[in-house]
């Protein structure tokens, strides 16, 4: 009921891109993954039979065979892309990041030993995700071969998604390349990317600065940090390079380093402290945005929402490994996880609006049971708190109405 109500817009968008039967199957599987975790396709058939969607739409023939065939088909056509285009069209500020997915599938064209081969102890695939920073909703996703680095995938990932004029893209150092920046500028898009320490722009920026750094307070949640910054001359026309140093973070890292020294760590000494003090809390950002430096810093820091998204799909939805070999199936399952991520985020947003965690909200709603004896259908176990939530979240316990309209 939560998913059907809160993510109804996504279901309607699915119907715009897929036929009705396909939309029901995809939405149902995404809901199962949200509440049961990534359990695979075969177990989903049994779980589906116990869902509210199965009760309200008894003519829908959901089965392992049907969902497998559907995923294999849509993973190779343009329907997924059409859905993702509609999502990204509504977004103004987009974070893009890559995530490694371990895979031990045989004969998988996407599985290779990549840069995290030792960490994942085997082959990997690379999952790229675009996420709306304002809503924290995932917008697009695609799986690339495990041997390809993020910056090489970027244009192939973004280009098919349609017009990106005036959109702001925020990425980490792994996406920095001349080709990617030229592409974004040519498309009249904006970007913010940090420079890695081996780049000439970074080295020039951290040279001794004649003058006084400007300051501002960076506040997030209940925490406030002092940030110092200065802007440097960029060698690229239309771009800016700004050095930021979070002094509060710097002090914290210095204390942690000294503690390691006092504990006798061989890798921590006075020489190392003097060397690292200069770069603790420091970041150099390149951008073509014409906004205050403070806003550039805030924008970049908001990129962290894509990291929390990966954390949620890994731990809340158990999407940590993918053992599929067929290309179309891999891409389609990644798309279903995008749908699941959107549903999960909508539940999280709703839970925060009523002062609860998403787990507490789901646990509370799970207490409701649907009783149908063939003559009458009722929702049982509803308490005052359930009715209060219904009013706040626009939920309906009217069993005469179907859950997806």
């Amino acid at each position: 009921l939560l998913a059907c109500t809160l993510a109804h817009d996504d279901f309607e968008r699915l119907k715009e891109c897929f036929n009705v039967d396909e939309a029901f199957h995809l939405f149902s599987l995404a809901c199962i993954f949200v509440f049961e975790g990534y359990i695979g396709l075969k177990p989903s058939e049994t779980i589906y039979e116990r869902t509210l969607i199965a009760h309200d739409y008894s003519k829908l023939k959901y089965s392992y065979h049907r969902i497998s065939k559907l995923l294999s088909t849509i993973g190779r056509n343009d329907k997924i892309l059409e859905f993702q285009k509609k999502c990204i069209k509504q977004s103004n500020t987009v974070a893009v990041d890559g995530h490694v997915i371990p895979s031990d599938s045989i004969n998988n064209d996407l599985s290779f030993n990549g840069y995290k081969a030792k960490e994942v102890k085997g082959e990997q695939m690379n999952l790229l995700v675009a996420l709306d920073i304002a809503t924290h909703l995932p917008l697009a996703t695609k799986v690339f071969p495990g041997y390809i680095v993020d910056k090489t995938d970027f244009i192939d990932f973004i280009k098919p998604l349609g017009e990106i004029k005036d959109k702001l893209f925020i990425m980490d150092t792994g996406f920095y390349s001349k080709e990617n920046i030229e592409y974004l500028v040519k498309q009249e898009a904006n970007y913010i990317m940090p420079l890695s320490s081996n780049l000439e722009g970074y080295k020039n920026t951290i040279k001794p600065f004649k003058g006084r750094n400007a300051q501002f307070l960076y506040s997030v949640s209940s925490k406030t940090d002092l940030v110092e910054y200065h802007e440097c001359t960029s060698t690229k026309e239309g771009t800016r390079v700004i050095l930021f140093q979070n002094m509060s973070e710097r002090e914290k890292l210095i204390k942690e380093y000294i503690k390691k020294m006092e504990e006798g760590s061989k890798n921590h000494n006075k020489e190392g402290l003097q060397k690292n003090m200069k770069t603790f809390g420091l970041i150099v950002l390149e951008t073509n945005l014409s906004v205050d430096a403070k806003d550039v810093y805030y924008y970049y820091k908001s990129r962290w929402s894509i990291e929390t998204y990966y954390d949620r799909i890994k731990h809340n939805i158990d999407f940590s490994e993918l053992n599929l070999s067929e290309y179309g199936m891999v891409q389609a399952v990644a798309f279903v996880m995008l749908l699941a991520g959107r549903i999960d985020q909508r539940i999280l947003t709703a839970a925060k609006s009523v002062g609860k965690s998403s787990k507490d909200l789901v646990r509370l709603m799970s207490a409701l049971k649907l009783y149908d004896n063939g003559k009458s259908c009722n929702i049982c176990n509803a308490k005052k708190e359930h009715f209060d939530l219904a009013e706040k979240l626009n939920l309906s316990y009217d069993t005469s109405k179907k859950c997806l309209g």
Side-chain angles (χ1 to χ4, degrees):
L1 181 61
L2 271 177
C4 292
T5 302
L6 300 176
H8 191 264
D9 287 350
D10 286 324
F11 177 68
E12 291 298 319
R13 184 169 293 166
L14 281 171
K15 289 197 296 182
E16 294 174 6
C17 305
F18 301 85
N19 67 47
V20 175
D21 187 75
E22 291 171 341
F24 269 108
H25 274 80
L26 292 170
F27 190 82
S28 298
L29 183 59
C31 289
I32 290 171
F33 285 171
V34 169
F35 298 112
E36 301 293 334
Y38 178 64
I39 57 173
L41 302 182
K42 284 186 178 179
S44 72
E45 182 175 348
T46 302
I47 292 172
Y48 173 80
E49 295 171 358
R50 305 197 302 267
T51 65
L52 184 60
I53 296 175
H55 175 272
D56 287 358
Y57 302 92
S58 57
K59 291 184 179 181
L60 178 66
K61 305 301 180 184
Y62 184 100
S63 67
Y64 166 68
H65 174 74
R66 285 174 178 267
I67 194 67
S68 297
K69 186 177 180 181
L70 171 61
L71 294 180
S72 183
T73 301
I74 68 169
R76 293 181 177 276
N77 63 33
D78 293 333
K79 292 183 178 181
I80 289 176
L81 182 60
E82 185 181 348
F83 182 95
Q84 296 181 149
K85 280 183 175 180
K86 290 178 180 292
C87 291
I88 207 161
K89 186 177 181 179
Q90 295 183 333
S91 179
N92 294 317
T93 308
V94 182
V96 178
D97 200 11
H99 183 67
V100 167
I101 303 177
S103 173
D104 58 6
S105 298
I106 300 174
N107 299 323
N108 186 336
D109 293 338
L110 296 169
S111 293
F112 291 91
N113 286 318
Y115 69 99
K116 285 193 175 182
K118 291 184 178 179
E119 183 179 329
V120 301
K121 298 178 181 179
E123 294 186 339
Q124 68 183 54
M125 296 181 284
N126 294 337
L127 175 71
L128 256 61
V129 172
L131 180 133
D132 186 296
I133 285 180
T135 63
H136 298 179
L137 292 172
L139 305 166
T141 185
K142 188 173 182 179
V143 181
F144 289 88
Y147 67 86
I148 300 179
V149 294
D150 291 341
K151 64 182 178 182
T152 307
D153 294 333
F154 177 73
I155 296 176
D156 289 338
F157 177 50
I158 294 297
K159 191 174 182 179
L161 296 174
E163 185 177 337
I164 59 173
K165 181 180 178 180
D166 295 330
K167 296 186 186 299
L168 171 61
F169 287 84
I170 304 174
M171 294 159 283
D172 64 14
T173 54
F175 289 89
Y176 190 94
S177 74
K178 179 182 177 182
E179 293 76 16
N180 290 343
I181 291 173
E182 287 179 350
Y183 175 77
L184 290 170
V185 171
K186 186 176 180 180
Q187 301 302 314
E188 299 183 59
N190 298 308
Y191 71 91
I192 299 174
M193 276 189 273
L195 302 181
S196 59
S197 58
N198 64 320
L199 292 174
E200 197 64 32
Y202 180 97
K203 294 175 183 178
N204 291 334
T205 304
I206 64 171
K207 289 179 180 178
F209 171 63
K210 294 181 180 180
R212 187 173 181 179
N213 285 335
Q215 298 178 336
F216 63 85
L217 294 177
Y218 169 67
S219 298
V220 58
S221 300
S222 58
K223 181 184 176 185
T224 300
D225 293 343
L226 174 66
V227 178
E228 293 188 353
Y229 72 95
H230 67 264
E231 191 160 342
C232 307
T233 303
S234 175
T235 57
K236 299 177 188 176
E237 185 179 352
T239 65
R240 305 159 63 196
V241 177
I242 312 170
L243 181 148
F244 297 93
Q245 190 161 29
N246 187 315
M247 304 307 291
S248 303
E249 184 179 339
R250 177 177 181 270
E251 290 303 313
K252 177 185 174 183
L253 292 172
I254 289 173
K255 289 179 181 179
E256 290 177 356
Y257 196 100
I258 292 174
K259 184 179 178 181
K260 291 288 185 181
M261 289 172 55
E262 294 172 346
E263 291 173 351
S265 171
K266 294 181 180 180
N267 298 321
H268 296 76
N269 50 54
K270 290 182 179 179
E271 292 77 13
L273 177 61
Q274 290 300 316
K275 179 181 178 181
N276 287 301
M277 280 177 62
K278 299 177 182 178
T279 57
F280 279 156
L282 185 145
I283 189 168
V284 178
L285 298 178
E286 180 179 298
T287 183
N288 61 345
L289 270 182
S290 299
V291 298
D292 289 343
K294 178 180 179 180
D295 293 328
V296 172
Y297 188 80
Y298 266 86
Y299 271 130
Y300 179 73
K301 284 294 185 179
S302 66
R303 193 198 72 85
W304 187 250
S305 59
I306 200 167
E307 300 292 346
T308 58
Y309 165 74
Y310 283 131
D311 185 70
R312 289 203 325 278
I313 65 169
K314 180 178 180 179
H315 296 103
N316 291 10
I317 310 179
D318 301 324
F319 188 57
S320 56
E321 190 171 352
L322 196 56
N323 297 319
L324 299 169
S325 59
E326 202 267 316
Y327 176 89
M329 184 72 76
V330 170
Q331 301 295 351
V333 168
F335 173 65
V336 174
M337 293 310 302
L338 177 140
L339 294 175
R342 291 178 69 86
I343 296 169
D344 181 68
Q345 178 58 46
R346 293 184 190 279
I347 293 173
L348 176 61
T349 301
K352 287 182 178 180
S353 73
V354 294
K356 295 183 179 294
S357 69
S358 58
K359 287 186 177 180
D360 287 341
L361 178 59
V362 170
R363 188 180 299 114
L364 177 64
M365 295 301 294
S366 296
L368 297 176
K369 304 298 178 185
L370 187 69
Y371 177 74
D372 188 348
N373 62 8
K375 295 180 180 180
S376 62
C377 181
N378 298 288
I379 290 181
C380 304
N381 300 339
K383 299 180 180 179
K384 183 179 182 299
E385 190 172 7
H386 290 108
F387 290 106
D388 290 341
L389 283 174
E391 184 176 349
K392 293 175 181 178
L393 301 180
N394 199 29
L395 303 174
S396 174
Y397 301 144
D398 185 352
T399 56
S400 66
K401 298 179 180 179
K402 294 186 177 184
C403 58
L404 284 169

